[in-house]
Amino acid sequence: MMNSILPMKYEHLIEEVKKLGKVSYLATTPLGYKIPMVSIGKGKAKTLIVASIHAREHITTSLLNKLMQNYQSKIPIDYIPMLNIDGVMLATNGLSIAKDELLKEQLLQLNNGSEDFSLWKANARGVDINVNFDADWGEGQQNVTSAGSENYIGINCNSEIETQSIVNVLKNNYSLVCCYHSKGEVIYWGYENNFRHYLYAKKYADYVGYELTRSEGSAGGLKDYYSLNYNGLGLTVEIGEDQLPHPYPLSELNNLITKHTGSIELLAEMGETIAELHGESNRRSENCTQ
């Protein structure tokens, strides 16, 4: 490895999340990893939490796993601890995860010849999952149209297994979907014509002490897709101070845990309340053709 970050082990991740609740698997990635989802508590969850959408932002998994271990509420929630498993394994283990020599060559080329993948954001196909969703796909200011470490939109919207798995899960009609990224201590809320539930978004932002704002110039994200297709509350949480580097230092994990303690309980409570007061989320038809 060209950096000092700790390698992620898939087996360790699964052992850890099995202690949290009932584990189901959404799909199998191109590198052969099964994407886990943990259902915590009894009953139908109204809140979905998603971590590690971008590979280098794997500290979100470390944070959320700790918060879930200490979850105090009886309100059920669903939690996807590592959506972009292929990317995280690449970012933390390097080319050792690629058993095929041709794949190693392809990844090296996509990473400009460098064996240091610690700043990689995309999946193993060089697609940035968080610009691949059917939400004004391809119209983001930083979007690119060729594979690489970040910002590549894919051959079409919802083209990636990781993206498709979330699109299917969202059919459970969650009332609140919260996506964790790093960094910036900011919370992006809603999208286009869905800026419902402001008071709930503000309540959460005030709790963790982050700025609440609307997305400008972005498109194709998970929060964007959810907010376009459902009537619930969609949030993107950028954890951690912007002045610190990527990947966000694990030495800061305890500070993050302290700041976010109790926040998952609040999200679960808000998801239940939104469902009770505003009913099930209604979804519209998708726009893109696969």
Side-chain angles (χ1 to χ4, degrees):
M1 291 292 293
M2 303 292 290
N3 53 69
S4 59
I5 59 176
L6 295 175
M8 285 275 185
K9 299 299 181 186
Y10 178 75
E11 295 78 9
H12 180 259
L13 171 70
I14 299 304
E15 287 175 9
E16 208 169 47
V17 298
K18 280 183 175 178
K19 297 174 184 176
L20 302 177
K22 182 181 178 182
V23 177
S24 56
Y25 296 95
L26 307 182
T28 301
T29 69
L31 293 184
Y33 298 108
K34 294 181 178 179
I35 303 172
M37 181 172 80
V38 190
S39 296
I40 302 171
K42 297 180 179 179
K44 184 178 179 182
K46 296 299 181 183
T47 296
L48 176 68
I49 310 288
V50 186
S52 287
I53 298 168
H54 282 144
R56 71 186 185 189
E57 297 168 16
H58 44 82
I59 196 168
T60 58
T61 296
S62 301
L63 170 63
L64 268 295
N65 281 358
K66 292 294 184 183
L67 296 178
M68 296 301 177
Q69 287 172 15
N70 298 317
Y71 183 65
Q72 300 294 318
S73 176
K74 293 184 178 179
I75 299 173
I77 55 175
D78 286 341
Y79 166 48
I80 299 173
M82 191 177 289
L83 177 61
N84 185 8
I85 294 180
D86 285 0
V88 171
M89 295 302 159
L90 183 59
T92 61
N93 294 277
L95 288 174
S96 63
I97 64 152
K99 306 306 179 185
D100 181 84
E101 290 302 319
L102 179 58
L103 177 59
K104 287 183 179 180
E105 280 185 33
Q106 292 171 341
L107 287 169
L108 262 178
Q109 185 176 5
L110 293 179
N111 203 35
N112 297 317
S114 173
E115 293 187 6
D116 182 1
F117 283 82
S118 60
L119 296 181
W120 188 267
K121 291 175 68 176
N123 66 5
R125 284 161 40 91
V127 177
D128 188 327
I129 296 170
N130 211 48
V131 295
N132 184 241
F133 286 89
D134 179 17
D136 299 315
W137 176 76
E139 296 182 16
Q141 290 178 357
Q142 296 183 334
N143 288 173
V144 299
T145 55
S146 58
S149 66
E150 61 183 336
N151 299 329
Y152 173 46
I153 61 177
I155 58 172
N156 56 12
C157 64
N158 298 350
S159 63
E160 303 307 290
I161 287 172
E162 298 91 345
T163 315
Q164 294 165 15
S165 68
I166 291 290
V167 169
N168 289 332
V169 165
L170 290 180
K171 294 173 184 177
N172 291 333
N173 275 334
Y174 298 101
S175 297
L176 189 155
V177 173
C178 189
C179 315
Y180 282 77
H181 290 258
S182 68
K183 52 191 172 65
E185 295 191 320
V186 64
I187 296 171
Y188 297 104
W189 146 70
Y191 189 74
E192 267 195 9
N193 63 349
N194 180 359
F195 287 96
R196 302 172 182 85
H197 313 304
Y198 167 76
L199 293 179
Y200 297 108
K202 186 68 166 62
K203 184 176 183 179
Y204 175 75
D206 289 346
Y207 185 90
V208 296
Y210 287 179
E211 176 190 1
L212 179 67
T213 188
R214 300 186 181 201
S215 299
E216 296 291 342
S218 69
L222 170 50
K223 180 266 298 173
D224 309 332
Y225 175 84
Y226 173 76
S227 298
L228 277 179
N229 286 278
Y230 296 87
N231 293 324
L233 173 60
L235 298 172
T236 292
V237 181
E238 297 278 1
I239 66 169
E241 300 176 28
D242 203 29
Q243 69 212 33
L244 292 175
H246 282 302
Y248 203 78
L250 276 175
S251 59
E252 292 293 313
L253 181 58
N254 286 337
N255 291 335
L256 290 172
I257 292 169
T258 299
K259 177 174 280 290
H260 287 267
T261 293
S263 63
I264 304 302
E265 288 84 349
L266 177 59
L267 289 172
E269 180 184 321
M270 293 194 305
E272 285 280 283
T273 303
I274 291 171
E276 291 171 1
L277 294 180
H278 303 282
E280 293 287 336
S281 299
N282 298 313
R283 80 183 304 270
R284 63 166 176 79
S285 60
E286 296 173 40
N287 290 328
C288 80
T289 301
Q290 295 188 47

